[in-house]
Amino acid sequence: MWPPWVNTTRSSGAACRSPSFSSPTLKDLHALLDDDPGKPPPSHALRRILHRACLASTALRALRSAASAPSSDPLDRRRRGVFVLYFTSLRVVRRTFEDCRSVRSILRGLRVAVDERDLSMDPRFLAELQAALDCPQPTLPQVFLAGRCLGGADEIHGLHESGELKALIDGLAPAASACDRCGGVRFVLCAVCSGSHKRYSDKGGDFRACDECNENGLVRCPDCLTSAV
């Protein structure tokens, strides 16, 4: 089926059998391609066929471009076979911390690639989670797979106990070995500002916030990101 933005209509059987429809000839094709203004215009039937052919070609090019374009959705990890885990490593709320730790332990026990996003390390992960769940105050932890939210601690524990979680990992990428660069923290100091989150501006003659890192002067470990893709 054509996408809705392609304004084409399917001709009915009666219209196809109408005696007013004339098949295009080679002479009509030459007349259409000829730039001589003195030549008679091509038949209406040929113009209609070529118009539909142009629409089809445009639609196919658009579909091909959409299929090859990289996704901007941070949760779209289906091709890479990666769980996405939003959690916190802070012990401010004991129940939340324990839930996050238990879910991390379950996912790591599956020995599959997990993209761990610690909200305490980078507050920008909160905005991602809020947009994904359409909720201003989401609870932690939250686990996603193939862009779909599997749920929090209770749901993951239930899937794990029933064996459904293990069935979901069939064909997923295996977990990478321990990272020598960050030691498993998943973040490293920003190389641009050396972790100060301040950069000197030659134009203004003052220090400004670094655009390369978060407010803690950290960036995600590039080695961990590479192994998770």
Side-chain angles (χ1 to χ4, degrees):
M1 295 181 64
W2 293 112
W5 41 265
V6 179
N7 296 321
T8 59
T9 57
R10 182 176 298 176
S11 302
S12 62
C16 292
R17 293 191 297 269
S18 174
S20 62
F21 182 87
S22 59
S23 299
T25 63
L26 185 60
K27 181 179 180 181
D28 291 329
L29 182 59
H30 281 298
L32 183 64
L33 299 177
D34 199 342
D35 295 332
D36 188 356
K39 294 291 184 66
S43 66
H44 176 70
L46 179 59
R47 285 185 180 276
R48 185 172 61 180
I49 290 176
L50 292 178
H51 176 66
R52 292 177 66 87
C54 290
L55 285 176
S57 178
T58 302
L60 289 175
R61 286 198 301 268
L63 290 174
R64 190 179 298 113
S65 299
S68 60
S71 174
S72 59
D73 184 2
L75 300 179
D76 184 13
R77 295 281 189 162
R78 187 176 185 85
R79 299 184 187 90
R80 295 178 286 272
V82 176
F83 280 98
V84 179
L85 168 64
Y86 288 91
F87 73 104
T88 179
S89 57
L90 291 180
R91 298 173 180 258
V92 177
V93 181
R94 182 178 180 86
R95 174 65 184 274
T96 300
F97 173 76
E98 293 295 337
D99 287 344
C100 291
R101 185 172 65 174
S102 63
V103 169
R104 287 182 73 192
S105 178
I106 290 175
L107 295 180
R108 289 186 174 184
L110 297 176
R111 300 187 181 278
V112 294
V114 180
D115 183 1
E116 298 181 352
R117 304 186 180 187
D118 189 350
L119 273 67
S120 63
M121 297 291 287
D122 193 340
R124 290 176 294 187
F125 290 149
L126 176 59
E128 289 182 7
L129 185 58
Q130 289 172 335
L133 298 178
D134 192 20
C135 176
Q137 295 181 341
T139 59
L140 295 177
Q142 293 293 333
V143 179
F144 290 80
L145 179 62
R148 181 171 65 92
C149 181
L150 299 182
D154 293 339
E155 290 78 10
I156 298 302
H157 279 288
L159 292 173
H160 180 58
E161 292 173 359
S162 65
E164 295 180 50
L165 188 61
K166 188 174 182 180
L168 291 175
I169 69 174
D170 185 27
L172 297 186
S177 57
C179 180
D180 296 331
R181 185 167 186 171
C182 68
V185 181
R186 306 298 179 108
F187 283 88
V188 294
L189 288 178
C190 177
V192 177
C193 65
S194 300
S196 64
H197 194 51
K198 298 287 185 180
R199 295 179 62 180
Y200 182 77
S201 174
D202 295 331
K203 184 177 180 180
D206 57 353
F207 286 92
R208 299 181 180 180
C210 179
D211 297 330
E212 303 295 330
C213 58
N214 60 27
E215 62 184 25
N216 297 319
L218 302 174
V219 295
R220 301 192 72 184
C221 176
D223 292 349
C224 291
L225 284 177
T226 302
S227 62
V229 172

